[in-house]
Amino acid sequence: MALIALAADKGSPGVTTAAVALAAVWPRRVLVAETDPAGGDLVYRSAAAHGGPLNPNTGMLSIAATARRGLVPDQLWDHTQPLSGGLEVLVGLGIAEQAAGLAGLWPTLGRAFSQLADSPHAPADVIADCGRVSGDTPAIDLFPQAALVLLVSRTEPESLARVRDRAAALAAKLHGGARGAASLATPLIGVLLIADPSTSAKLVHQVNDMLMAAQTGARVVGTLADDPSGADQLAGRKRGRLDKSLLIRSARKVTVDLYQQYGAAWAGPVAQQPGAGR
């Protein structure tokens, strides 16, 4: 299985951009699921493969009724749409009020996401954009089914302090308490920094020291370039060689590093599929 859940503590560090960028260069077939209870962004920022807009009613909204009768992983494909470039997405809710329709269904969704990689018909990994998380957000109910929870953070001091505290809180909730950095408890909790490439290496060491000192059990798994131009290209708002952008080049390095460290545990019959950044 490989459900990778991306989330942030506060603000707008770029969780959706990070999820799409990683999926665009993911080495196996992948589904991006917008699971932010506050609503998704892709329907507003990205075009469908047919050149028109994405259908806001096909995705998390349409899956709500299906999931109440039980959800087989392959049923997820009935609610997905391809973006321009071929990336397959499960479009998020339109507004926060629609999250009431998913009440009690988040664990069911988490199991379906985590088991999709083992589907005998159309296996894929799932990258879930969970948006901002707090103590009571229902999206946290996906996390126990994840192989990896990635907390996305920018590098301002207050952002780093928040991600440290959020990592500790998640460790307590998911693992029963703070863990040392060598902990093998699952899901693994990692931090993905959005950083200036010229300073990212030094920052990684500093943030890892901070996470270790706080006994969060989390560590930095990589950095994505703070690249507004690349983000605009990824969203289709700007033309250019997306594969040459700092954003996609850094996303490729993150995915390579993730698979070097955890790929054996995620191995399975998941076929490759071209993504937007190839």
Side-chain angles (χ1 to χ4, degrees), residues 50-141:
H50 53 66
L54 293 163
N55 183 348
N57 297 315
T58 300
M60 290 290 286
L61 190 60
S62 63
I63 210 169
T66 299
R68 292 204 176 280
R69 299 188 295 270
L71 188 62
V72 176
D74 282 333
Q75 289 178 288
L76 294 169
W77 297 118
D78 296 335
H79 305 270
T80 61
Q81 302 176 65
L83 293 182
S84 176
L87 190 62
E88 296 164 297
V89 300
L90 187 68
V91 170
L93 301 172
I95 55 175
E97 286 77 4
Q98 292 174 336
L102 289 165
L105 297 178
W106 296 94
T108 299
L109 287 169
R111 286 190 293 272
F113 291 154
S114 69
Q115 293 168 5
L116 188 60
D118 300 321
S119 163
H121 306 295
D125 294 330
V126 176
I127 295 178
D129 167 10
C130 300
R132 292 186 295 274
V133 295
S134 59
D136 59 353
T137 181
I140 287 182
D141 289 340

Side-chain angles (χ1 to χ4, degrees), residues 140-210:
I140 287 182
D141 289 340
L142 299 175
F143 291 0
Q145 302 296 329
L148 177 65
V149 174
L150 285 181
L151 295 174
V152 181
S153 175
R154 294 191 179 272
T155 57
E156 297 84 0
E158 62 272 22
S159 298
L160 296 177
R162 284 188 175 278
V163 82
R164 174 200 63 201
D165 294 346
R166 179 55 56 194
L170 282 177
K173 183 176 184 66
L174 298 172
H175 304 154
R179 303 276 179 144
S183 172
L184 297 178
T186 57
L188 297 167
I189 300 173
V191 172
L192 182 64
L193 296 176
I194 310 297
D196 182 333
S198 66
T199 60
S200 59
K202 181 179 180 181
L203 273 169
V204 167
H205 290 297
Q206 293 174 340
V207 176
N208 274 333
D209 288 345
M210 178 183 69

Side-chain angles (χ1 to χ4, degrees), residues 197 224-227 230 241-251:
L224 287 183
D226 188 358
D227 178 17
R241 288 290 303 276
L242 179 58
D243 61 323
K244 299 296 184 182
S245 69
L246 288 173
L247 174 62
I248 289 299
R249 286 161 55 190
S250 61

